[in-house]
Amino acid sequence: MPTLRRQVAAATAVLALSLTAGAVAIPAVAAPRQAEKTATATGYGGAVSTVDADASAAAIGVLRRGGNAADAAVAAAATLGVTEPYSAGIGGGGYFVFYDAKSGEVQTIDGRETAPATMPTNAFINAATNKPYSFAELVSSGVSVGVPGSLATWERALKRWGTLELGDALQPAIDVARDGFIVDDTFRQQTLDNKVRFSAYTPTRSLFLPGGDAPAVGSVFRNPDLAATYRLIAAEGTDAFYSGPLAEEMASTVQAPPKDPAWVPPAGAPATSIPAFPGYLTTADLAGYTTLDQDPTHVEYRGYDVYGMAPSSSGGTTVGEALNILEPFNLADMPTAAALHHYLEATALAFADRGKYVGDPALVDVPTGILTDPLFGKARACNINPATAAAKPVAAGDVSKYGDTCPVAPEAAARGTDTENISTTNMTVADKWGNVVEYTLTIEQTGGSGIVVPGRGFLLNNELTDFSYDSTNPKDPNRVEPGKRPRSSMSPTIILKDDEPFLALGSPGGSTIITTVLQTILNRLDLGMNVSAAIAAPRASQRNTATVTAEPGFISAYGSALAPYGHKLVPAGDAFTSAAEIGAATAIEFGRHGRMVAAAEPVRRGGGSAMVVRPAP
Ligand code: GLU
């Protein structure tokens, strides 16, 4: 059944005014996309939460037709590749976490991009200066493109847990790519934020800057090239992506990025803008890509079982360690500012350990078990002074010796009377059988590498900028190495209570993903908020740096109460994004008798889309 957006798109298609090689942008008289979005939906029979109404509708359609959560998640992911092309798609990767109602087990798929086999460890070092290039130089380059893992993840998820063929799961996305979607403020603004680099690459400019400008709000954006790419994969399977002409085109695009030779940086942009360094991706890298079936991380927190993504993501270990650090403290009984102080101190400690110990376990000995060991967390908790913020950065813990009794008794905590970057995308899906999917997928920076594969309708990732750039330190677990997966922060999380799903959640946001997921869990479990309020609440992120990144709403609500502890809050946002937001979470909470509350962002990223199969009366 077509969504409102697609009905409108079809009705207005005859008004097409301008055609470009890859896209059609036409004015529409449609209601803006936000009008169809609901941030909270309560009901039965299955639920979904994503950032986008078309993606949620794709998932709900699959669930209504009898598909399960894995089927619906793949349909939604493929649709996000159309409607959120700057955050996710087949040019990227991600992490898929699944609760299997039959076995009662949580299992995961690591679909992270990998460094090409011939990528040298000094790939990010400028030979002229012997210093690392900057992020700005690397991001819009072939050298930052890793071997994409999303499509292989979808195939693996369907094979392990789904019922649909890949081609059937792609169909809703093919429809949206062909018929178009209505451009909203977020899509236009994200295009404008990327206008300089998109204009440098000819195929990207043709697709996303038709007529030289970002598509107008309210116009219909169609991507027939992507529809054709999806149709090819639907007909021939993932081999049509990981081998053959498309693989050859991806490799040659990365090795010789299609920068317009006539392009000049606009006034005000540095002369070094878009150096378009060639990358190392080959057809052999693509043919050799595999996803990994992995056990999740697991910690217990206040009687709940919290499952997360093990390395190559640092999400599960860092969220898990922070929860272990916080377990001895009675956050619920503290004044809010005291609880937030503990939250900020716990994440600084956990980020110190993330930096020292976490990398791709295929090449690095990662102490995952120790980082998620409650005794290690308790030992790290000794470093929290309940009255004063520690000077940052704090030192990493010693995983070789810990477990002494903690001198900080939980009761010593203050007691009271009352109870960056916004790229990537996340989804939560559940079905009527009780299966649950938490899936975070990305092309890294909003707009990825900025490089569209000519004529194919999708952007390539810049995931390899998640490596440490200075690869000269052999002890850095996240240094560049050939065939390695860069450390991620993606934190798809499923929480069980008494062996049944209680809450599933995740978020985009680079390394702030970890703090967003953690803060949302604390809001829900410790601070008395319901799931919708837990997502909507203003956020702050302490990642072991001198200052705390915070949303304006957090600064105005808690800035003065946190100042006496010594926390310095600075507004979120960076040179690459115009939004001062942290994350864009999605979640589903599970109640009794099959009741589900799907929750999305009410405001961030223009608001998300929560839907249920059968709304509660
Ligand atoms: N590349 C990031 C990671 O894997 C995610 C990007 C983002 O959310 O901004 O951690």
Side-chain angles (χ1 to χ4, degrees):
M1 174 145 152
T3 63
L4 172 61
R5 279 170 67 191
R6 266 184 286 138
Q7 287 167 336
V8 172
T12 53
V14 289
L15 298 173
L17 294 182
S18 67
L19 273 176
T20 69
V24 183
I26 56 178
V29 288
R33 141 165 120 163
Q34 294 92 315
E36 308 155 52
K37 289 182 174 180
T38 310
T40 301
T42 304
Y44 301 88
V48 58
S49 179
T50 79
V51 73
D52 175 72
D54 275 330
S56 291
I60 283 290
V62 168
L63 293 174
R64 288 204 172 118
R65 290 190 294 273
N68 70 15
D71 301 323
V74 173
T79 306
L80 288 169
V82 181
T83 56
E84 297 283 322
Y86 308 145
S87 298
I90 53 177
Y95 297 93
F96 195 104
V97 180
F98 188 79
Y99 170 78
D100 185 340
K102 261 199 206 127
S103 66
E105 277 192 3
V106 178
Q107 278 298 321
T108 80
I109 299 171
D110 176 331
R112 184 68 160 170
E113 298 91 331
T114 59
T118 56
M119 185 170 182
T121 35
N122 65 356
F124 291 165
I125 303 288
N126 183 342
T129 62
N130 216 19
K131 298 232 160 64
Y133 288 108
S134 66
F135 176 77
E137 290 169 302
L138 294 170
V139 59
S140 309
S141 286
V143 74
S144 70
V145 180
V147 189
S150 287
L151 196 56
T153 305
W154 303 348
E155 180 180 52
R156 183 70 190 135
L158 290 176
K159 185 154 187 233
R160 279 182 91 179
W161 304 302
T163 65
L164 290 183
E165 295 295 323
L166 178 62
D168 295 328
L170 292 179
Q171 193 55 50
I174 293 170
D175 295 345
V176 179
R178 184 196 58 220
D179 297 341
F181 63 91
I182 296 168
V183 171
D184 65 4
D185 290 318
T186 304
F187 187 84
R188 177 168 169 84
Q189 190 56 53
Q190 289 182 340
T191 314
L192 290 174
D193 289 346
N194 281 286
K195 192 170 175 189
V196 170
R197 64 201 199 110
F198 282 6
S199 66
Y201 287 115
T202 314
T204 314
R205 187 171 66 213
S206 313
L207 180 58
F208 293 123
L209 297 167
D213 189 16
V217 173
S219 67
V220 175
F221 186 85
R222 302 166 71 208
N223 191 338
D225 287 346
L226 183 55
T229 302
Y230 277 166
R231 270 198 298 271
L232 171 75
I233 296 162
E236 298 182 15
T238 55
D239 283 354
F241 181 89
Y242 287 104
S243 60
L246 177 47
E248 282 161 25
E249 289 165 38
M250 280 192 278
S252 59
T253 302
V254 169
Q255 291 170 26
K259 187 174 163 189
D260 178 355
W263 183 83
V264 283
T272 52
S273 289
I274 326 297
F277 301 128
Y280 298 90
L281 185 74
T282 65
T283 51
D285 291 318
L286 287 156
Y289 183 83
T290 47
T291 58
L292 302 170
D293 293 350
Q294 296 227 85
D295 288 336
T297 57
H298 171 246
V299 301
E300 278 178 40
Y301 184 70
R302 314 238 187 271
Y304 295 83
D305 290 290
V306 182
Y307 293 93
M309 197 65 224
S312 57
S313 183
S314 61
T317 55
T318 314
V319 171
E321 180 184 342
L323 288 172
N324 282 336
I325 292 171
L326 290 170
E327 174 80 17
F329 300 103
N330 191 351
L331 303 184
D333 279 355
M334 293 180 189
T336 306
L340 291 171
H341 163 68
H342 282 76
Y343 154 64
L344 297 172
E345 293 300 276
T347 55
L349 292 163
F351 265 81
D353 297 327
R354 168 187 181 271
K356 180 162 182 186
Y357 297 114
V358 184
D360 181 354
L363 287 108
V364 176
D365 193 9
V366 186
T368 300
I370 295 173
L371 293 173
T372 52
D373 182 335
L375 281 181
F376 181 68
K378 201 172 172 198
R380 295 293 279 147
C382 301
N383 296 293
I384 296 184
N385 180 327
T388 311
K392 312 290 186 311
V394 296
D398 184 349
V399 294
S400 67
K401 56 173 193 302
Y402 65 96
D404 298 330
T405 49
C406 181
V408 178
E411 287 67 31
R415 295 178 75 95
T417 48
D418 60 354
T419 61
E420 162 169 353
N421 181 342
I422 57 161
S423 40
T424 306
T425 195
N426 186 79
M427 73 176 71
T428 315
V429 187
D431 63 33
K432 64 181 174 190
W433 297 281
N435 302 301
V436 183
V437 171
E438 192 62 43
Y439 183 26
T440 316
L441 59 164
T442 186
I443 57 172
E444 214 298 292
Q445 182 68 12
T446 303
S449 63
I451 304 171
V452 164
V453 183
R456 300 297 193 166
F458 66 93
L459 283 156
L460 292 164
N461 69 81
N462 66 299
E463 213 69 55
L464 304 185
T465 57
D466 276 358
F467 281 124
S468 310
Y469 303 165
D470 184 355
S471 50
T472 53
N473 175 7
K475 286 200 175 141
D476 183 340
N478 193 35
R479 72 191 192 119
V480 177
E481 290 183 82
K484 189 176 185 179
R485 293 175 185 222
R487 178 173 60 214
S488 171
S489 300
M490 289 187 268
S491 310
T493 303
I494 295 181
I495 302 176
L496 307 187
K497 175 78 176 154
D498 301 328
D499 298 329
E500 296 288 338
F502 169 73
L503 180 69
L505 76 165
S507 176
S511 55
T512 67
I513 292 171
I514 290 166
T515 55
T516 291
V517 168
L518 181 70
Q519 194 179 355
T520 308
I521 293 173
L522 302 181
N523 285 344
R524 177 67 192 88
L525 297 187
D526 291 301
L527 302 185
M529 298 183 203
N530 67 30
V531 63
S532 299
I535 284 181
R539 297 186 181 129
S541 182
Q542 168 50 273
R543 288 158 288 158
N544 202 18
T545 53
T547 56
V548 176
T549 306
E551 293 179 332
F554 188 95
I555 295 175
S556 56
Y558 306 113
S560 51
L562 285 169
Y565 292 92
H567 295 290
K568 294 185 190 63
L569 309 185
V570 296
D574 59 26
F576 293 90
T577 172
S578 50
E581 295 175 352
I582 297 178
T586 72
I588 298 176
E589 180 164 329
F590 301 88
R592 289 156 63 94
H593 311 301
R595 184 181 160 94
M596 301 175 193
V597 181
E601 295 284 356
V603 175
R604 296 181 185 95
R605 292 251 193 129
S609 171
M611 296 185 187
V612 291
V613 170
R614 282 198 323 279

